[in-house]
Amino acid sequence: MKLLITCLTVIFFSLSASAQDIGSKIPNAIFYNRDNTPFSTYNIPNGKKSLIIFFDATCEHCQKVVAQMSKRIKELKNVNVYMISQDEYRSIDYFMTNFGKPFLQQKNVKVVQDRDHVFIMAFHPKQYPAIYLYNADKSLAFTSSNQNDVPKFFKLINP
C-alpha cells in the first residue's frame, strides 16, 4: 500500500511540474555569456515579445527548427531571442554557424550557455527543442517542442 501511494505521489508531482502554464511569467534563471559573465532572465526587458529556444547542438529536431526560423529572421526583428544550450561553447558555435548563422548577426539575439543545468528545473521542457514565446509583459503566450509548430510561433509574433 505504501508503494502504491508513493508511486501515485511521484506521478502526481511529475505531471504537475511537466510544463509552464500559459500566462505564467518567465522563470528566474541564470545562464552564462561567452565571457563567463552571468545573464539572468530577470534582465529580459518588458515591452517586447521574447522567444526562448532551448536546444541541444546534436539534436536533429533542434537543427531543423533553428534552420527554419533563421530563414524568417526578418520577422523576428521586433522580438528578443534567447538561445540557450547546456552544450560547451564549441558545440554551440558549430550549431549556430551551421544551422542558425543569420541569428548571429542580429542585435536582438543572445546565445547563452546553461552550464549549471538550471533550465530544465526552471522551465520544465518536455524535450528538445523547447520553444517559449513570452508576451511583452513576460507572460507565457505559447510553448512547444514540436518542429511543426514553427509557423504557429510566427503567427503569434506577427499577427
Side-chain angles (χ1 to χ4, degrees), residues 45-50 77-80 108 134-137:
N46 284 326
K48 218 176 181 185
K49 290 181 181 178
S50 296
K77 67 182 179 199
N78 295 320
V79 177
N80 292 319
N108 63 322
Y134 290 90
N135 293 313
D137 66 354

Side-chain angles (χ1 to χ4, degrees), residues 54-56 59 61-62 86 120 126-130 145:
F54 183 56
F55 69 93
D56 181 283
C59 166
H61 297 288
C62 300
Q86 294 178 341
I120 293 171
K126 293 179 183 175
Q127 62 189 31
Y128 289 111
S145 291

Side-chain angles (χ1 to χ4, degrees), residues 38-57:
F39 170 77
S40 172
T41 54
Y42 180 77
N43 294 329
I44 294 175
N46 284 326
K48 218 176 181 185
K49 290 181 181 178
S50 296
L51 183 66
I52 295 177
I53 303 170
F54 183 56
F55 69 93
D56 181 283

Side-chain angles (χ1 to χ4, degrees), residues 5 7 31 34 36 39 54 80 111 119 136-137 145 153:
I5 291 172
C7 289
F31 306 110
R34 175 175 296 291
N36 287 324
F39 170 77
F54 183 56
N80 292 319
V111 180
F119 189 94
D137 66 354
S145 291
F153 281 97

Side-chain angles (χ1 to χ4, degrees), residues 8 15 22 30 40 48-49 65-66 73 86 92 96 98-99 114 126 135 138 141 156:
L8 290 174
L15 291 175
I22 298 298
I30 296 175
S40 172
K48 218 176 181 185
K49 290 181 181 178
V65 164
V66 170
I73 195 74
Q86 294 178 341
I92 293 170
M96 293 303 297
N98 288 283
F99 305 103
D114 178 18
K126 293 179 183 175
N135 293 313
K138 295 187 177 182
L156 291 168

Side-chain angles (χ1 to χ4, degrees), residues 105-120:
Q105 295 136 9
Q106 305 302 309
K107 291 182 180 187
N108 63 322
V109 176
K110 185 172 220 25
V111 180
V112 294
Q113 181 187 40
D114 178 18
R115 73 171 186 219
D116 296 332
H117 304 278
V118 298
F119 189 94
I120 293 171

Side-chain angles (χ1 to χ4, degrees), residues 53-95:
I53 303 170
F54 183 56
F55 69 93
D56 181 283
T58 62
C59 166
E60 189 177 321
H61 297 288
C62 300
Q63 295 166 359
K64 288 178 182 176
V65 164
V66 170
Q68 279 181 301
M69 289 187 156
S70 69
K71 290 176 184 173
R72 299 176 70 174
I73 195 74
K74 290 180 182 177
E75 294 176 64
L76 296 172
K77 67 182 179 199
N78 295 320
V79 177
N80 292 319
V81 179
Y82 302 93
M83 304 197 64
I84 303 168
S85 178
Q86 294 178 341
D87 293 312
E88 296 295 323
Y89 265 110
R90 67 177 178 242
S91 297
I92 293 170
D93 292 342
Y94 176 84
F95 177 89

